[in-house]
Amino acid sequence: MTNLTAELLGSISVDEMWKHLEKLCEWDRSTGTEGELAAVDYVRSVLESYGLPVTVHEYRAYISHPIKGGLEVEIGGEKQTIAAKTRAFSANTPAEGVSGALVSIQGGKNMFKADNAVNLISPETVGGKIVISESGSRGSMLAAKNAGALGYIHMWPSDEDVIHEGIVTPVWGTPTPESAGNIPNFPIISIKHNDGVRLREALEKGTVNATLHSVTKTGWANVKMPVTEIAGKEDDFVLVAGHIDSWHYGATDNATGNVSCLELARVLKQHQSQLRRGVRIAWWVGHSTGRYSGSTWYADNHWDELDANCVAYINIDSPGSLGATDYSEVTAVPETAALVTDAVVELTGQTPNIDRPMRAGDQSFWGVGLPSLFMLLSNRPEGQRAAVGGCGMGWWWHAEEDLVDKADRDVLLKDTKIYAHALLRLTQDEVLPLDLDAQVADLKQQVSAIAQEAGSHIDLSSVTANLDALGGEVAKIKSMEPGKANEAIKTVSHALTALSFTYGHRFDHDPAMPLPAFPTLDGAKKLAKLDPESNDYGFLFNRLIRNRNMVNHEIKRAIAACQA
């Protein structure tokens, strides 16, 4: 640990963070509301009190607020009302609701990963009926809509006594003409797990008729988003951010992340004269009701400078949750895995398993090519986790109960120090501490797995050969002078990140759907399962040839950067 790291970590104050946490939790911070505007203004005023410049960006966002959901069922001639909530971007029902027979579809327990439910959905199984399933996948919901289902009831996979808020559109950020049609135009509501179990038990005995109600308010909102910058000696910078909007008061999702960002800003300002690279810190809006609208807007409107000068993205979401003392699973990409591991080991004594990032949580910068660190960090121990997507896996995620009592001072302090430890390596190391060897090796492994499943149906040897060549060129970076080495590292890491985590559209945003590794080539796995004489085979093969050309072009661009 360097002297600067020790000094900066020692100056991080949980008392400073806690006073801001209590203030932010005075407001319901849903995007576009007075509460969120008050929180944005508070963050601005705190940053200015630290002597930092603040830019408050204003833009129009396409936002959906859930208003009311309802569910009535008829079982054995008896009518019952079951507690329910609608979801952001659910369609509105008529005043009398939408009625039909229930049909059960078995689903998985992780809404961020694909499950088998989508394969069970067809016009024959769900057409003209209301689906009930624990599958929270947007893919399952869209499949049900396209198969003619009347509506969708998501029964939560774990059995906590709350109904979690959520968003059902797979469209990442504000829609475009091409993506707007993917907003589910049918009603989707949530119920508790145990209520879903009771309905399934009733279905085993006979028909269950249901009436589903959904009221949402969807449209354009004028929003404000604060960003500050602690400039370094060089133009390059690290992007650090977390979303400021929340469901309800959102103490651990994500007011704790907001105050961690504030504290990083405060201590970095105190040591600004020592920073080699700068740090840009943002408080995203539109996370919860706009499907990552704020971070998407920022990526779109600052693409060139992010591509030219941003070296990495530290994503801060849900730190400091009550009882979140387990660091066994931490998110990072291959080239930042060692950075993350070193920080966690040094500050907790635990050695984390590194998880590949999911297509979720403001990961809006893979098209630009930014290598990412974190998102989720500390978790509650196994056996104390709900099937949720944040808050240390606490049951209060996306619920009214996420109040200050769900935050933990000691965990918040430790998490913030972990962020700071990794951040300082990224700002202070003379040569960027991004492990390109690990990134190339990861891509080679992905291509090998794809090629094995594709067999003789498509030749991916050119991709493997180009990655081998890149591996040799990357080794030469170590002998370059630092300035030249850093430019090569940025170009290579940006190009390979886009290949590993996107479908190849660097200036667009893939849907909020489970994403395979090396998405542009992953479709090759399907060829062996298709009839070579079919249209499906021919069309997919044609797409893969074009994708292979793009992949090889990007790898050669990375090779050229190492030779410049």
Side-chain angles (χ1 to χ4, degrees):
M1 186 182 293
T2 66
N3 290 337
L4 176 59
T5 301
E7 186 178 346
L8 193 145
L9 294 185
S11 62
I12 293 174
S13 168
V14 72
D15 290 335
E16 184 78 6
M17 288 190 282
W18 206 262
K19 73 178 183 182
H20 298 317
L21 178 67
E22 291 179 331
K23 187 65 179 178
L24 287 173
C25 290
E26 291 180 7
W27 299 296
D28 180 318
R29 301 186 305 283
S30 185
T31 287
T33 65
E34 291 301 317
E36 184 191 61
L37 291 172
V40 167
D41 192 57
Y42 179 76
V43 165
R44 177 197 55 75
S45 66
V46 170
L47 291 169
E48 289 176 347
S49 76
Y50 294 156
L52 285 164
V54 185
T55 300
V56 179
H57 297 280
E58 299 186 38
Y59 73 98
R60 292 180 75 222
Y62 196 64
I63 300 297
S64 181
H65 292 287
I67 306 300
K68 186 178 181 181
L71 178 63
E72 294 99 35
V73 297
E74 184 177 337
I75 302 174
E78 179 186 352
K79 292 186 178 180
Q80 301 178 24
T81 298
I82 294 176
K85 287 186 175 181
T86 191
R87 296 275 186 88
F89 286 100
S90 168
N92 290 315
T93 59
E96 66 274 16
V98 169
S99 299
L102 287 186
V103 59
S104 175
I105 296 292
Q106 192 68 41
K109 294 187 176 182
N110 189 328
M111 74 182 75
F112 300 108
K113 294 183 178 180
D115 56 39
N116 192 51
V118 70
N119 298 317
L120 304 176
I121 293 170
S122 67
E124 292 74 25
T125 57
V126 307
K129 298 179 180 179
I130 295 174
V131 174
I132 179 168
S133 178
E134 61 271 73
S135 175
S137 163
R138 270 78 64 187
S140 298
M141 295 171 180
L142 279 175
K145 171 202 167 187
N146 293 335
L150 299 177
Y152 196 102
I153 302 169
H154 182 212
M155 57 178 282
W156 205 259
S158 48
D159 64 359
E160 55 269 22
D161 190 30
V162 298
I163 303 177
H164 301 281
E165 307 281 2
I167 180 171
V168 296
T169 178
V171 178
W172 194 281
T174 296
T176 63
E178 297 82 7
S179 66
N182 290 325
I183 299 173
N185 189 27
F186 83 142
I188 302 168
I189 64 171
S190 301
I191 62 173
K192 299 174 187 177
H193 176 80
N194 290 337
D195 286 332
V197 169
R198 289 196 299 109
L199 290 176
R200 276 192 167 152
E201 290 172 348
L203 275 172
E204 291 176 359
K205 300 174 184 177
T207 300
V208 176
N209 292 308
T211 299
L212 184 156
H213 299 271
S214 171
V215 181
T216 61
K217 182 180 179 182
T218 301
W220 295 96
N222 294 319
V223 298
K224 297 182 178 182
M225 186 167 66
V227 178
T228 190
E229 185 153 15
I230 305 96
K233 297 182 179 72
E234 301 176 3
D235 291 336
D236 284 353
F237 63 91
V238 181
L239 179 63
V240 180
H243 65 91
I244 194 170
D245 64 305
S246 69
W247 291 110
H248 308 292
Y249 294 92
T252 62
D253 187 18
N254 186 38
T256 48
N258 301 156
V259 303
S260 184
C261 286
L262 282 172
E263 186 63 1
L264 290 173
R266 184 182 73 86
V267 297
L268 287 167
K269 175 61 177 175
Q270 293 175 349
H271 300 87
Q272 183 172 6
S273 63
Q274 298 170 267
L275 296 182
R276 181 187 303 274
R277 300 177 191 91
V279 179
R280 189 173 297 182
I281 306 178
W283 288 258
W284 306 133
V285 297
H287 171 99
S288 294
T289 54
R291 185 60 80 193
Y292 320 128
S293 166
S295 57
T296 305
W297 180 91
Y298 199 83
D300 292 344
N301 286 274
H302 295 80
W303 202 99
D304 284 342
E305 64 171 332
L306 290 168
D307 184 47
N309 296 119
C310 189
V311 301
Y313 171 40
I314 294 180
N315 189 354
I316 298 181
D317 197 339
S318 297
S321 286
L322 184 67
T325 57
D326 186 347
Y327 295 83
S328 61
E329 302 162 284
V330 180
T331 304
V333 295
E335 64 272 32
T336 63
L339 267 179
V340 166
T341 299
D342 290 347
V344 172
V345 169
E346 185 157 345
L347 290 162
T348 73
Q350 300 180 41
T351 301
N353 293 313
I354 300 298
D355 284 344
R356 181 181 173 87
M358 300 176 293
R359 183 68 179 144
D362 280 305
Q363 292 284 12
S364 299
F365 302 94
W366 287 336
V368 181
L370 303 189
S372 62
L373 300 75
F374 308 115
M375 188 172 80
L376 305 183
L377 175 55
S378 55
N379 288 316
R380 293 166 68 83
E382 289 285 357
Q384 300 180 27
R385 302 181 186 180
V388 295
C391 299
M393 304 300 142
W395 59 265
W396 53 87
W397 178 79
H398 285 198
E400 292 92 332
E401 290 82 359
D402 185 11
L403 302 171
V404 175
D405 65 323
K406 304 306 186 303
D408 186 308
R409 291 172 63 94
D410 292 339
V411 177
L412 179 58
L413 180 61
K414 186 169 293 185
D415 287 353
T416 303
K417 287 184 175 182
I418 291 170
Y419 296 136
H421 187 288
L423 173 59
L424 281 174
R425 287 286 312 280
L426 288 164
T427 62
Q428 299 307 105
D429 283 18
E430 187 174 30
V431 175
L432 286 167
L434 299 176
D435 189 349
L436 297 185
D437 290 331
Q439 192 176 21
V440 173
D442 181 67
L443 282 174
K444 288 172 67 175
Q445 184 178 31
Q446 292 171 20
V447 174
S448 176
I450 293 169
Q452 186 172 0
E453 283 199 50
S456 61
H457 291 272
I458 189 168
D459 183 4
L460 297 180
S461 61
S462 60
V463 179
T464 301
N466 281 322
L467 285 171
D468 285 339
L470 177 59
E473 295 298 327
V474 161
K476 299 176 183 177
I477 293 177
K478 297 179 178 64
S479 61
M480 294 180 181
E481 60 88 13
K484 188 175 180 180
N486 289 333
E487 287 304 308
I489 290 169
K490 280 188 298 182
T491 300
V492 173
S493 71
H494 286 197
L496 298 190
T497 293
L499 291 180
S500 184
F501 289 97
T502 79
Y503 280 100
H505 309 292
R506 293 196 65 191
F507 302 94
D508 214 329
H509 300 271
D510 294 318
M513 305 272 275
L515 193 74
F518 220 139
T520 52
L521 297 180
D522 184 75
K525 296 176 181 178
K526 300 178 183 178
L527 288 175
K529 302 173 185 177
L530 297 173
D531 177 0
E533 300 302 319
S534 69
N535 286 344
D536 287 345
Y537 184 102
F539 297 161
L540 176 58
F541 183 83
N542 194 41
R543 164 47 56 202
L544 287 166
I545 295 299
R546 296 177 184 179
N547 286 359
R548 187 182 63 187
N549 292 338
M550 183 274 293
V551 167
N552 282 327
H553 174 79
E554 288 300 301
I555 297 172
K556 289 177 181 177
R557 189 171 69 86
I559 291 171
C562 299
Q563 299 170 337

